[in-house]
Amino acid sequence: MSTDDPTTRLTAVQTKIAQAAALAGREPDGVTLIAVSKTRVAEEIEPLLRAGQRAFGENRVQEAQAKWPAFREAYPDLALHLVGQLQSNKADDAVAVFDAIHSVDRASLVSALARAMDKMDRRPACFVQVNIGDEAQKGGCTIDSLPALLADARAAGLPVAGLMAVPPADTEAAPYFALLAKIARDHGLDGLSMGMSGDYEVATMLGATHVRVGTALFGVRA
Ligand SMILES: *Cc1c(COP(=O)(O)O)cnc(C)c1O
């Protein structure tokens, strides 16, 4: 196998997560590796499934609906995570196709998801996304609005698993990861969805329970 074989890459990423967890005195089992498969075709995804990878991330509802039903039949234990922004009018579809939603970031979406979950009788785990670097273009609620949004989500019966964030690009991510971890602790939340290809080891050391890794597994996106 060449070093750019997806299975080799998977082993390398798993090893780095285990090493980072060990450095922080954490169990590697406490970190779920989500293979972010947006834009990747079935032929690229299948080798990872065969190698035992079971958590995958997509950023579009329609793309997930097209790609994943066939894999679900073959691998009933796989888990699909939505890692992209979600429009309220797609809440029903998202609840039907995903096992976890990492982009809950506003009250209108909380209401739409609560209605969708009742209707579909399915309750995907929810991560509230925080705009941790306070960036104009980025998804996520502000740090100031988080307490009210969390209260809304809990009151609406969403299964809130934790917080998610994407720190600003081109700067040291560690302070943002540490801040997200502190905010999660303050709110009694265990789940921390943070860390991508460039920084999943740092995120693991700082408490990530879910790292979202695309490029390091599949190669550079076209
Ligand atoms: C695409 C994406 C990732 C994966 O990014 P890579 O740099 O390819 O690892 C993680 N999280 C979110 C929210 C994404 O959109």
Side-chain angles (χ1 to χ4, degrees), residues 36 38 59 83-84 164 166 195-198 212-216 221:
V36 178
K38 63 189 183 200
N59 67 341
V83 300
M164 179 275 210
V166 180
M196 304 172 30
S197 288
R212 311 176 308 267
V213 179
T215 309
R221 274 182 297 278

Side-chain angles (χ1 to χ4, degrees), residues 29-102:
D29 288 1
V31 188
T32 299
L33 168 60
I34 301 172
V36 178
S37 51
K38 63 189 183 200
T39 77
R40 314 295 178 171
V41 296
E43 291 70 28
E44 296 172 275
I45 295 169
E46 179 101 58
L48 292 190
L49 282 162
R50 275 202 303 270
Q53 175 65 25
R54 287 296 179 269
F56 289 84
E58 292 284 344
N59 67 341
R60 292 180 162 188
V61 175
Q62 261 179 308
E63 187 179 340
Q65 284 172 322
K67 270 156 61 175
W68 285 94
F71 283 138
R72 282 230 191 245
E73 300 233 326
Y75 302 91
D77 58 337
L78 72 79
L80 210 50
H81 297 250
L82 175 62
V83 300
Q85 287 188 32
L86 177 59
Q87 291 170 277
S88 296
N89 62 7
K90 298 215 174 111
D92 283 9
D93 290 339
V95 164
V97 76
F98 289 101
D99 302 291
I101 295 173
H102 292 239

Side-chain angles (χ1 to χ4, degrees), residues 130-142 166-171 176:
V130 182
N131 186 349
I132 198 75
D134 200 18
E135 295 173 279
Q137 299 303 321
K138 226 170 224 161
C141 69
T142 62
V166 180
D170 305 321
T171 181
Y176 296 99

